[in-house]
């Protein structure tokens, strides 16, 4: 009896152990805390990673963006990023845009238009530092990152928090 109990306890432990080891590692967050905005958008973004983190003003940021496009990415497409003060989501802190084709497509050795389907690009650009900005401070903003076609139609939209270092 005792022996059987021991064996069954042992097998239960083994089952737990095998569950524990077969549980897949928590998948790394491919969107770095961002989520798709409410609504539907023709070109999904499934990967958005960036270095450095926090981003540093006066230095380049390097962004990997990937997803699936159901609409052609045309010449003149822009990526617009807007920062909001976290505790006041309606209060815009800044807004900048980069040319999607120049920043992401060309450095990848491709050209716009980019046809529908899976896409994956890495681009870098300088985050300008302006006078009268805070110094030696990290601030977190709510970011909205949206991609617009040349006619202003929204193709993709993510929002999430991002930290900015003011050197
Ligand atoms: C970007 O470049 C990589 C490597 O050359 C290539 O595999 C990939 O297809 C390119 N992405 C697009 C969307 O053209
Ligand atoms: C910053 O990015 C720009 C645009 O891609 C590039 O031309 C430049 O070489 C980069 N600078 C550094 C220091 O990486
Ligand atoms: C992000 O910006 C887009 C384009 O301006 C807008 O439609 C959307 O409502 C914004 N989303 C959030 C969560 O701020």
């Amino acid at each position: 009896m005792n022996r059987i109990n021991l064996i069954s306890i042992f097998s239960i432990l083994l089952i737990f152990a095998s569950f524990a080891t077969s549980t897949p590692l928590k998948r790394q967050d491919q969107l770095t805390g961002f989520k798709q905005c409410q609504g539907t958008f023709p070109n999904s973004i499934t990967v958005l990673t960036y270095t450095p983190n926090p981003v540093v003003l006066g230095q380049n940021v390097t962004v990997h963006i990937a997803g699936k496009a159901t609409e052609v990415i045309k010449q003149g497409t822009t990526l617009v990023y807007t920062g909001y003060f976290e505790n006041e989501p309606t209060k815009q802190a800044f807004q900048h845009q980069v040319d999607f084709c120049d920043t992401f497509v060309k450095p990848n050795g491709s050209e716009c238009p980019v046809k529908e389907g899976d896409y994956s690009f890495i681009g870098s650009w300088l985050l300008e530092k302006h006078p009268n900005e805070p110094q030696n401070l990290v601030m977190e903003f709510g970011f909205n990152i949206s991609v617009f076609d040349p006619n202003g139609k929204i193709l993709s939209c993510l929002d999430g928090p991002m930290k900015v270092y003011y050197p």
Side-chain angles (χ1 to χ4, degrees):
M1 222 22 183
N2 265 346
R3 194 185 158 85
I4 288 169
N5 272 344
L6 268 181
I7 288 171
S8 51
I9 286 169
F10 188 64
S11 21
I12 286 167
L13 281 179
L14 265 185
I15 288 166
F16 270 108
S18 66
F19 263 115
T21 51
S22 68
T23 302
L25 286 173
K26 192 168 181 281
R27 225 155 47 96
Q28 224 188 328
D29 179 12
Q30 299 272 60
L31 287 176
T32 325
F34 280 82
K35 290 193 172 69
Q36 187 172 289
C37 305
Q38 283 195 333
T40 53
F41 303 92
N43 296 352
S44 73
I45 299 173
T46 52
V47 176
L48 185 93
T49 57
Y50 55 89
T51 52
N53 184 2
V55 300
V56 180
L57 292 195
Q59 290 187 14
N60 274 7
V61 61
T62 300
V63 175
H64 179 201
I65 187 168
K68 196 180 186 79
T70 66
E71 277 202 23
V72 170
I73 300 171
K74 295 180 190 140
Q75 193 71 49
T77 297
T78 52
L79 179 143
V80 179
Y81 55 100
T82 311
Y84 300 89
F85 293 105
E86 267 279 275
N87 41 6
E88 287 174 73
T90 54
K91 202 166 171 205
Q92 185 176 316
F94 51 80
Q95 183 172 69
H96 298 287
Q97 70 174 58
V98 293
D99 184 278
F100 195 93
C101 300
D102 287 347
T103 307
F104 292 104
V105 183
K106 271 194 203 147
N108 196 61
S110 315
E111 273 187 46
C112 283
V114 178
K115 60 176 178 0
E116 304 94 324
D118 293 337
Y119 67 90
S120 177
F121 298 114
I122 294 173
S124 296
W125 67 94
L126 180 69
L127 298 178
E128 276 178 37
K129 185 167 163 47
H130 302 285
N132 306 322
E133 277 174 344
Q135 285 201 336
N136 194 20
L137 182 72
V138 174
M139 277 183 72
E140 184 166 293
F141 294 97
F143 268 78
N144 178 328
I145 299 179
S146 300
V147 180
F148 295 94
D149 84 355
N151 299 319
K153 179 186 170 187
I154 191 160
L155 299 177
S156 320
C157 182
L158 294 179
D159 64 87
M162 202 161 142
K163 288 189 177 122
V164 176
Y165 175 54
Y166 293 84

